[in-house]
Amino acid sequence: MNDAAHDLHAPHFIGIGGAGMSGLAKILAVRGASVSGSDSKESETVLALRALGASVHIGHAAEHVPDGVSSVVVSSAIRADNPELAAARERGIPVVHRSDALAALMGGRRALAVAGTHGKTTTTSMLAVALGELGLDPSYAIGGDLDAPGSNAHHGTGEIFVAEADESDRSFHKYAPEVAIVLNVELDHHANYASIDEIYESFETFVGRITPGGTLVVSADHDGARELTSRVAGREGLNVVTVGAAEDADVRVLSVTARGMTSEVTVLLDGEELAFTVSVPGRHYAHNAVAALAAGAALGVPAADLAKALGSYTGVRRRLQLKGEAAGVQVIDSYAHHPTEMTADLEAIREGLEGAGRVLVVFQPHLFSRTQQLAEEMGAALALADASVVLDIYPAREDPIPGVTSELIIDAARRAGADVTAEHAFDAAPALLAGLARPGDLLLTMGAGDVTNLGPEILTHLESVATNV
């Protein structure tokens, strides 16, 4: 294989098990590249990559970079002192950012890029599934697994490439899509953006990368998205399609009706009403599906066919994913880590909850910088639950910030009237939550860190409680 921009015939990925990196490694392996990489720990994703022929080391060491590699691929999470990155620079091996690698993979395809502060993974997944259901076999790269380890990416035979476009480090400026979606625009990623104006400027640059004659699909309901639309209005060669419940939306959402854990959606598109089912709960997921519908139509896919195919999407791992049920308690995993996402998921669960059960949450804050800026809003979101347990902050790529702890969120939640408990011992959380839950309750493990691992353990404790009773 040959990529004009970067030599990716024998790439080495540092952090190959990550959501974004593993997808690119998979596509390259399927395309015939000799893929190697390293990750901090064994995982199902690593096993899936090895099954495709990739050579993956556990741990980071200079000797893990094999002879003959054509490039070393990194993400923004890789620190400058990583020994494999240092070895690449010493040996003169080209270092490629994952966004440049993804841009190279999209070359020669009809690219559709999905951007926004929230909802990117879900909307990209909806498009990947629906287009596949229609036999178009798109390539795709998503920030989460659809239904199994390694399902976050696919090398398709079709002409369409659907990709999640990440604004967090401005890497989405590298892409040149034919169609782009912007779901919403909010201030986040405080380590990289100092103000909302910087966020707007970054999204304006992304919109400017749409190919001449291409289309921007953008929310008509979200204040930040409407501001972006006003900033890019009138650009030559840019078609703008607005979507949402607002009366002036080009593709208007007429109704979203909750049906348990699904939603019935009716839209007005090109003067005709179109009704379809979204097989995940919540108004925000329904609106994501409408954005996907409009984007697919902009690529020439018949809207009626795409609407029906969108009903085949049943969710993505960690996005309100049912982990199981024990002792009459359902355990659901939520990736929500920003207050807007937390509120949307809790409202969606409320809409779909039948009976008199309670909504319980175990929340793990993600990043010190995000907690420092948004603790008050996170606390207010937790007030939507009947009871919450808050864990210590998951640091990810960040170093601690003095005075910034999960207590900031706990205090804010209590001011908002929430019933909230602190739990600093991660391993003690499953027993605590199992003791709080009652038959008919719904329990969410919420956050972008390793809180997802608690679901199976909570279920085990619930089964033990039921057996003892």
Side-chain angles (χ1 to χ4, degrees), residues 21 40 61 66 72 116 137 143 178 201 315 331 353 365 370 469:
M21 298 283 271
S40 59
V72 168
D137 194 21
E178 179 179 340
E201 290 168 6
V331 177
L353 188 64
R370 183 177 287 120
V469 170

Side-chain angles (χ1 to χ4, degrees), residues 187-344:
L187 181 58
D188 194 9
H189 311 294
H190 307 276
N192 293 324
Y193 293 102
S195 67
I196 188 64
D197 277 335
E198 284 192 13
I199 293 276
Y200 285 134
E201 290 168 6
S202 188
F203 274 89
E204 285 184 73
T205 300
F206 170 66
V207 172
R209 295 284 299 165
I210 297 172
T211 57
T215 301
L216 168 67
V217 175
V218 59
S219 171
D221 299 330
H222 190 277
D223 290 342
R226 290 186 72 95
E227 171 65 20
L228 176 67
T229 301
S230 69
R231 289 180 178 224
V232 302
R235 285 193 182 184
E236 186 177 351
L238 177 67
N239 302 305
V240 178
V241 176
T242 59
V243 298
E247 291 187 4
D248 61 349
D250 297 317
V251 179
R252 189 177 174 197
V253 180
L254 298 179
S255 66
V256 178
T257 305
R259 303 264 190 249
M261 296 299 281
T262 68
S263 298
E264 300 294 329
V265 186
T266 303
V267 300
L268 187 65
L269 176 66
D270 295 332
E272 295 186 6
E273 288 191 14
L274 192 60
F276 61 100
T277 300
V278 179
S279 299
V280 285
R283 184 171 297 274
H284 62 300
Y285 288 119
H287 281 243
N288 290 344
V290 175
L293 177 70
L299 283 176
V301 181
D305 294 343
L306 188 58
K308 184 178 179 181
L310 282 166
S312 61
Y313 170 81
T314 57
V316 63
R317 281 183 156 199
R318 304 228 50 207
R319 272 65 175 182
L320 293 187
Q321 178 191 12
L322 179 64
K323 303 296 287 187
E325 182 174 345
V329 179
Q330 286 187 318
V331 177
I332 292 179
D333 193 28
S334 163
Y335 189 70
H337 51 282
H338 184 283
T340 300
E341 299 162 350
M342 295 165 67
T343 299

Side-chain angles (χ1 to χ4, degrees), residues 138-226:
S139 297
Y140 57 80
I142 308 170
D145 287 329
L146 290 172
D147 50 20
S151 62
N152 58 336
H154 173 67
H155 169 61
T157 58
E159 62 179 356
I160 299 173
F161 196 121
V162 185
E164 186 172 332
D166 182 15
E167 84 284 1
S168 66
D169 55 1
R170 296 179 172 82
S171 61
F172 67 163
H173 297 168
K174 306 289 181 63
Y175 314 137
E178 179 179 340
V179 176
I181 296 175
V182 174
L183 299 163
N184 36 59
V185 181
E186 289 187 29
L187 181 58
D188 194 9
H189 311 294
H190 307 276
N192 293 324
Y193 293 102
S195 67
I196 188 64
D197 277 335
E198 284 192 13
I199 293 276
Y200 285 134
E201 290 168 6
S202 188
F203 274 89
E204 285 184 73
T205 300
F206 170 66
V207 172
R209 295 284 299 165
I210 297 172
T211 57
T215 301
L216 168 67
V217 175
V218 59
S219 171
D221 299 330
H222 190 277
D223 290 342
R226 290 186 72 95

Side-chain angles (χ1 to χ4, degrees), residues 268-458:
L268 187 65
L269 176 66
D270 295 332
E272 295 186 6
E273 288 191 14
L274 192 60
F276 61 100
T277 300
V278 179
S279 299
V280 285
R283 184 171 297 274
H284 62 300
Y285 288 119
H287 281 243
N288 290 344
V290 175
L293 177 70
L299 283 176
V301 181
D305 294 343
L306 188 58
K308 184 178 179 181
L310 282 166
S312 61
Y313 170 81
T314 57
V316 63
R317 281 183 156 199
R318 304 228 50 207
R319 272 65 175 182
L320 293 187
Q321 178 191 12
L322 179 64
K323 303 296 287 187
E325 182 174 345
V329 179
Q330 286 187 318
V331 177
I332 292 179
D333 193 28
S334 163
Y335 189 70
H337 51 282
H338 184 283
T340 300
E341 299 162 350
M342 295 165 67
T343 299
D345 275 6
L346 285 167
E347 288 179 345
I349 289 297
R350 284 284 185 203
E351 287 180 12
L353 188 64
E354 298 175 356
R358 300 171 303 159
V359 176
L360 310 179
V361 174
V362 52
F363 176 61
Q364 182 186 53
H366 186 261
L367 299 180
F368 294 100
S369 61
R370 183 177 287 120
T371 302
Q372 184 180 43
Q373 296 292 328
L374 299 174
E376 198 70 29
E377 293 86 348
M378 291 177 186
L382 289 176
L384 295 172
D386 292 291
S388 301
V389 173
V390 177
L391 306 174
D392 288 345
I393 298 170
Y394 185 83
R397 56 189 175 272
E398 291 187 344
D399 294 323
I401 298 174
V404 177
T405 71
S406 58
E407 293 296 328
L408 296 176
I409 298 169
I410 292 166
D411 291 344
R414 287 176 177 154
R415 284 194 295 272
D419 177 359
V420 60
T421 302
E423 180 51 77
H424 302 291
F426 187 86
D427 292 341
L432 172 62
L433 289 153
L436 289 174
R438 301 194 298 256
D441 288 350
L442 196 150
L443 196 157
L444 271 72
T445 56
M446 180 176 280
D450 56 3
V451 67
T452 183
N453 298 331
L454 294 182
E457 296 184 42
I458 293 168

